[in-house]
Amino acid sequence: MNPRLQCLRNSLKAQDIEGMIVSNPVNIKYLIGIDAEGILLLTRRENIYITDSRYIEMVQSTLTIMDEIIVNDIKDVTSEDYQNFFTFCENVGFEEQYVTYSKYKEYMHRYRINNFVETENIVEKQRVAKDKEEIENIKKACEITDSCFTHLLNFIKVGMTEKEISYEIQRYFTANGADGLAFDSIVASGINSSKPHAIPTDKTIQKGDIITLDFGCKYNGYCSDMTRTIFVGYVQEYIKDVYNLVLKNQKQTLEEMYDGANTKILFKMVDNDFKIHKYELPHALGHGVGLDVHEEPVISSRKEILLKENMVVTDEPGIYIPGKFGVRIEDTVLITKSGCEPLTKSDKGYIVI
Amino acid sequence: MNPRLQCLRNSLKAQDIEGMIVSNPVNIKYLIGIDAEGILLLTRRENIYITDSRYIEMVQSTLTIMDEIIVNDIKDVTSEDYQNFFTFCENVGFEEQYVTYSKYKEYMHRYRINNFVETENIVEKQRVAKDKEEIENIKKACEITDSCFTHLLNFIKVGMTEKEISYEIQRYFTANGADGLAFDSIVASGINSSKPHAIPTDKTIQKGDIITLDFGCKYNGYCSDMTRTIFVGYVQEYIKDVYNLVLKNQKQTLEEMYDGANTKILFKMVDNDFKIHKYELPHALGHGVGLDVHEEPVISSRKEILLKENMVVTDEPGIYIPGKFGVRIEDTVLITKSGCEPLTKSDKGYIVI
C-alpha cells in the first residue's frame, strides 16, 4: 500500500479508530498525490477515493495498483453504498478543524456513523517531517525564489509601484517553472514596511526607501517562503541598528536550529534580545512549510515543540516601528540531525539597488 | 442603528434567536463594512466587534456612532467578558456552513452557550437582494470588466500563452481601479475550451483557435463575472452551430429573467433546447454575484427559486464537446421589476481577432 496511507492507518489503529473521512484537499494531495475535488475514505479494509467525472480520467492515470485505492465516480455511488462504507467501524475519524459543523452533520447522516470522532490533526502531524521527495520539491521552490530575488534586484526601479513589483513576482514564478504563488506577496516600501502584513499599494518606490519583500512560490504543490529587506539608493543611518539586530538574531537562530531544539526557547532568545534593545517580536519567529505555507510547528512562546530532523521551518525575526519602518529577514530552513540547512540562500547583508 | 444589522436582528427575532456570532468575514464586511480579522457578536442589547491591534485604528475610523457598534481589542477581552456576552440569551445563532466543528465547540465553551443554533444562511439570504450602493459597486466592477475585454481584443496575439493573457487580465484590473480578481481567470484556447473549468496553461494561441475568456474583478469588494468566446483569424465552420445555439439561449434567458421568474424553469428551457440538438448544459445556468462571486441563488434544476428585483445573477449557458472545443457566453445581470438589465455589455456576436 501507499506508504503514507499505511502510516496514517497505523496511527489511527493506535487510537482505536477504524475508519476515517479525509476531506481537506491538502491532506488528500499529501496522502494519495491527487489534486482534485473529492473525498478519501479509509474504511476497514479499503481505501476509497470518490470524485466526479471532471477528474476520473486524471485520477485513474495517476494512481497505480500499488496504491491500493479504489476510485469511484460520485454519480455511481448510491446512498446504500454510503451507508455501507463504514459498516462494523466502531469509531470513524474526521478532520474537526477543516469540516464545517454542517458538513459534520451531513457526513454522520449520509454514512450512518455512530461514533464520529475528532482526529486532532492526525494527517497534519504526519506531514510535519518531510520525506526525500517532499524536500526535493521544497528545495526547488526555494531555488526559484532565490532566482526571482536576483531578478527583482535588477527589475525594481524608482517610480515603480509596490503593486507592479508584486505582479512581476507572480509573472516570474509562473514563467520559471513554479506552479504559482505560495501566498500573496508582500512588497512594502518606506513607511509601509512598518506593517508586518502590508498589502502592496499604489505607492511608488522612492530613493532612500527601505523595501520589505516577503514572497514564495509553489513547486509540485510545495511552498517556499523568504523575506529580504533591501534599500533604494542608500541606507538611511537610523535603520542600521535595527537591521543589524534583526540580522544578528536571524543568524543566531540558524545556529540554534537542530534536531531536538525547543521552539519556545528559540522564540524567547530572540524576543529577549529585542527587549534588551527596547523592541519586541510581535509575531511568531517561524512556522512549518510544506504543502501549506503555514503549517505545524509554530515557533512562538505559546507552545513548546522539539524540532526534528526533516522538518522544514522558517526563521523570520522582524522589528516594526509604527509610522516609520520595519525590517524582517526570513529563510526557509531544513532541520538536520546535527543542525540545519537554509534552503533559501539569497544574500542577507545590506543590499542597495 | 446600521440598517443591515437592524434587518438581521429582525430576522433573528422572528426565529426566536436572541444573539448571534458572525464569523464569516464576507458576512461581517456586508453587515458593518469592515474588512479585517475579527468577530461580530449580536448580543441582546449590543453589537460588539472584536479585532486585534493591527486593525483597531482602521475600524474605529470607519465606524460612526450611528452604526452602534462597540469595538473591542481582543487583548482586553477577558474570559469573564466572553462568558457574559450572551447572558440571558435563550438561543444564540452561528453560521453552521462556515464554522468548523472544532470552532463550534470552542465557541460553545468560551461563550458558555446553552442553545447554540443553526441560522441556515440567514445573512447570505439577506445579501441576495442588493441595495443601491451594492448595485453601484457591481456596475463599476462590470464596467472595468468590459473595458478589460476591449483591451484584450487588442492585446491577444498569436504565439502568446494562455498564462500570459491571464496575467494581463490581473494587471489590467488592478491598474484600472479594481481591487483585484474576483476569481482565477479562465483563458482556454483551442481544445482546452472544451473544459468548463480550464486552468490557463503554457499553450500558445494559434490561428484558427477559439478562446474562452471567463473573468471578473472586484470593486469595493463587489464582484463581476463575464465570459466571451472569441476567434483567432477566422471562425471555423463546425463551431458556428454550437456558437449560435449558445448565444440564442443566452439571449432568450435574458428575456425570461424578471422579478418572479422561476430559476428551475429558466434552467430547463436552456437544457431542453440543448437536448433537442443533442447537447446538454453540464453546469448551472447561473448564480448570484455580490461580495462572493458565487452566491445564492443558483439557477439549476436542483432548486426552485423565484428571482426578485435587485438580485444580481449570471446568465451563462455553455456547450462543451470533449476533445474538441467549447463555447460559453456569460453576462452579469440585474433583475428589475419588469425584466432585467445586463451589467456587462460587451459584444456577443462573432468576434475575430
Side-chain angles (χ1 to χ4, degrees), chain B residues 180-280:
Chain B
L181 293 175
F183 56 94
D184 289 340
S185 309
I186 294 174
V187 178
S189 65
I191 193 177
N192 294 346
S193 64
S194 73
K195 292 181 210 146
H197 303 276
I199 293 166
T201 70
D202 289 317
K203 177 189 168 302
T204 55
I205 304 301
Q206 303 296 329
K207 208 166 179 181
D209 267 354
I210 188 169
I211 313 178
T212 301
L213 299 161
D214 185 349
F215 61 113
C217 66
K218 283 194 181 196
Y219 184 81
N220 281 341
Y222 284 83
C223 301
S224 61
D225 190 358
M226 181 170 85
T227 308
R228 289 293 182 269
T229 300
I230 63 171
F231 302 87
V232 183
Y234 53 90
V235 186
Q236 310 239 28
E237 274 306 315
Y238 64 90
I239 293 177
K240 286 187 177 171
D241 283 349
V242 169
Y243 191 92
N244 295 344
L245 184 61
V246 171
L247 182 57
K248 182 188 92 177
N249 277 276
Q250 206 267 350
K251 287 180 171 172
Q252 271 176 1
T253 301
L254 289 179
E255 298 294 319
E256 299 296 333
M257 283 180 150
Y258 49 81
D259 183 300
N262 181 314
T263 54
K264 196 170 179 171
I265 294 176
L266 287 173
F267 178 90
K268 281 286 171 198
M269 285 196 315
V270 174
D271 195 44
N272 287 342
D273 193 33
F274 282 6
K275 281 189 173 134
I276 289 170
H277 294 84
K278 313 270 182 234
Y279 301 115
E280 58 162 5

Side-chain angles (χ1 to χ4, degrees), chain A residues 167-179:
Chain A
Y167 304 148
E168 181 62 12
I169 294 173
Q170 182 162 21
R171 192 205 60 77
Y172 185 92
F173 279 152
T174 30
N176 286 276
D179 313 337

Side-chain angles (χ1 to χ4, degrees), chain A residues 8 18 37 92 105 121 126 149 190 260 271 273 306 316 343:
Chain A
L8 174 58
E18 292 164 305
E37 280 176 45
V92 177
K105 280 183 49 179
N121 288 335
Q126 188 177 327
F149 181 66
D271 194 45
D273 194 33
L306 300 186
E316 51 175 314
L343 303 183

